[in-house]
Amino acid sequence: MSTDLLGHHFDIHGGGMDLIFPHHENEIAQSEAATDQSFVNVWMHNGYLEINAEKMSKSLHNFLTIREVLAKDSDTVRMGEILRFMFLMSHYRSPLNYSDRSVENAKSALKRIYMAIEKAKQAKVQADGPPDEALITRFQRVMDDDFNTSEGLAVVFDCVRDLNRAFESKSSDAASRLYRTLLELTDVLGVAHLDSARFLGVEQSVDADGIKELVLEREQARRDKQWATADRIRQHLTSLGVELEDRPDGTSTWRKN
């Protein structure tokens, strides 16, 4: 099948760790004997998928389908991206563990990226300058090292950190450069493609008017240095499932958890 679709020689062949012997060794022997050509340049064997640290198996009754997992979020597209991000957090040859905790960890990490993107959009940062070459070079180096996506994500989060610092210092040039870098890196990984407001659940409807008034009231309390009042309003907003993020200029953005 491989040679029929891809020719006698091609670059990458993948499969699970359990296929190395005897399946893929036999495939190499048969293909090269039949064609008298080198078969594949690179073999990539992924680790087992685990459910709550146990190998997924129908006999263990821990078998999940993609459809079942996606249905756990009302926004199946967003859930699909969270799953992709969760698997990118591990090296492909390591065991890939699925659990409610790992999904939540991936969601929280991905939210940090979307929050930085949302900040850039609200600040009207233009991603039209050159990217940060040091970060790009680091990213390329770790991705060239056996497709090390976990280390690639470490570079992405360094970019997020530097971008947030650029916002705090009000360095527009640095913000533009780092925003461009962030978009390029996430594009390679295939994440952060959704609208940031959609992913974060930023409320836009008229039903949010009451929350907006509380946010403005808290901002005024902070300007007046009425810290107890500001803390009380924040606690009330938290009880409503509202997450606040304060900006250096004294204003706040908010989103529903």
Side-chain angles (χ1 to χ4, degrees):
M1 180 177 66
S2 298
T3 55
D4 182 59
L5 295 173
L6 302 173
H8 293 166
H9 174 78
F10 51 94
D11 284 331
I12 301 174
H13 195 312
M17 287 285 188
D18 54 331
L19 299 179
I20 296 175
F21 179 84
H23 297 79
H24 286 163
E25 289 194 6
N26 284 338
E27 191 175 355
I28 293 170
Q30 293 168 1
S31 299
E32 294 190 354
T35 65
D36 198 28
Q37 294 184 33
S38 174
F39 184 39
V40 172
N41 289 337
V42 177
W43 289 84
M44 299 180 72
H45 293 96
N46 60 276
Y48 296 121
L49 177 61
E50 298 179 345
I51 306 295
N52 296 315
E54 289 187 323
K55 183 180 178 182
M56 187 171 73
S57 169
K58 288 184 178 179
S59 63
L60 295 175
H61 306 291
N62 64 350
F63 189 85
L64 288 173
T65 67
I66 288 292
R67 286 190 180 89
E68 290 171 337
V69 175
L70 294 180
K72 292 188 175 186
D73 194 298
S74 58
D75 188 335
T76 57
V77 175
R78 179 174 63 178
M79 187 62 184
E81 185 166 72
I82 293 169
L83 281 178
R84 175 180 293 178
F85 193 88
M86 181 186 72
F87 289 128
L88 289 172
M89 291 171 72
S90 299
H91 192 278
Y92 76 92
R93 284 191 286 106
S94 301
L96 305 174
N97 185 53
Y98 174 88
S99 66
D100 290 341
R101 183 182 181 88
S102 58
V103 170
E104 283 304 311
N105 288 340
K107 184 178 180 179
S108 296
L110 189 53
K111 184 185 288 186
R112 286 178 56 197
I113 297 174
Y114 272 110
M115 287 172 67
I117 292 173
E118 180 68 14
K119 275 185 183 178
K121 288 170 59 178
Q122 292 191 12
K124 295 182 170 53
V125 175
Q126 299 299 315
D128 52 5
D132 186 296
E133 289 300 331
L135 289 171
I136 294 292
T137 299
R138 278 182 54 206
F139 181 80
Q140 290 174 340
R141 184 173 64 250
V142 298
M143 291 294 284
D144 285 345
D145 183 14
D146 198 17
F147 202 58
N148 198 336
T149 55
S150 59
E151 288 298 318
L153 285 176
V155 179
V156 170
F157 284 113
D158 282 349
C159 183
V160 169
R161 178 202 61 203
D162 292 346
L163 178 56
N164 286 328
R165 287 176 178 173
F167 290 139
E168 292 173 4
S169 63
K170 298 183 180 179
S171 175
S172 58
D173 289 342
S176 176
R177 181 177 69 254
L178 291 162
Y179 184 36
R180 165 77 179 273
T181 306
L182 181 60
L183 295 181
E184 288 195 10
L185 299 184
T186 54
D187 186 57
V188 171
L189 294 170
V191 296
H193 283 173
L194 301 180
D195 179 75
S196 54
R198 170 183 173 177
F199 185 92
L200 294 169
V202 176
E203 298 291 341
Q204 301 288 346
S205 68
V206 69
D207 295 336
D209 284 348
I211 294 175
K212 290 178 182 177
E213 289 180 8
L214 286 171
V215 172
L216 292 174
E217 183 179 340
R218 177 176 172 271
E219 287 179 358
Q220 185 61 52
R222 292 174 68 213
R223 283 193 290 270
D224 295 340
K225 297 184 178 182
Q226 297 176 356
W227 308 120
T229 300
D231 288 344
R232 177 181 54 77
I233 296 172
R234 186 184 191 110
Q235 290 171 3
H236 178 55
L237 289 167
T238 300
S239 71
L240 298 175
V242 175
E243 181 180 344
L244 285 171
E245 182 180 348
D246 295 328
R247 295 180 176 179
D249 63 4
T251 62
S252 302
T253 59
W254 67 274
R255 58 192 59 82
K256 275 286 235 179
N257 290 330

